[in-house]
Amino acid sequence: MTDERKTGRPGDDTGVLTKSKPKTKKPSMYKVLLLNDDFTPMEFVTVVLMRIFGMAQENAQEVMLHVHRRGVGVCGVYPFEVAETKVSQVVDFARRNEHPLQCTMEKD
């Protein structure tokens, strides 16, 4: 008795195994935006930018003034989870210090 799997007769299924590389997609990036208000002190906004976004004092003051003059400013661009965390940290820190500072994010 012959084993048909070994004979290689026409019509037998044969194939080649190939490894396909999964294509990774870069994560979507999100801008973290700080919104101006008439109550939060400029010094507090500068502290937020230095503490949460790791900015040097000079850079933090530039961003703070931009937010003050234009009403909104970009604090940084991050992947979704990081941006979401930064927004939460800003809002929580502002509330703990009794300031109405608002922070949001939008897709870059």
Side-chain angles (χ1 to χ4, degrees):
M1 191 168 206
T2 61
D3 189 353
E4 289 184 19
R5 289 178 288 169
K6 295 180 183 177
T7 60
R9 294 182 184 169
D12 287 350
D13 290 331
T14 60
V16 177
L17 289 177
T18 59
K19 276 190 177 181
S20 61
K21 290 184 181 179
K23 294 190 179 190
T24 55
K25 191 171 122 179
K26 283 189 175 182
S28 297
M29 300 299 279
Y30 291 79
K31 291 187 266 190
V32 176
L33 305 170
L34 207 54
L35 308 175
N36 188 43
D37 64 69
D38 294 331
F39 305 102
T40 305
M42 292 179 173
E43 295 79 16
F44 181 78
V45 175
T46 302
V47 169
V48 166
L49 292 166
M50 289 171 26
R51 181 181 274 186
I52 296 174
F53 296 95
M55 293 183 188
Q57 185 171 359
E58 188 175 303
N59 190 22
Q61 288 175 335
E62 288 175 16
V63 173
M64 176 273 297
L65 287 172
H66 178 87
V67 171
H68 178 70
R69 292 179 183 137
R70 304 256 172 113
V72 65
V74 177
C75 302
V77 181
Y78 307 95
F80 180 81
E81 291 81 9
V82 176
E84 190 175 48
T85 300
K86 297 278 187 192
V87 168
S88 178
Q89 289 173 333
V90 169
V91 172
D92 290 346
F93 186 60
R95 297 299 166 269
R96 283 195 311 270
N97 288 278
E98 300 179 358
H99 295 297
L101 184 63
Q102 290 293 310
C103 187
T104 187
M105 61 191 251
E106 70 179 29
K107 199 166 186 173
D108 190 28

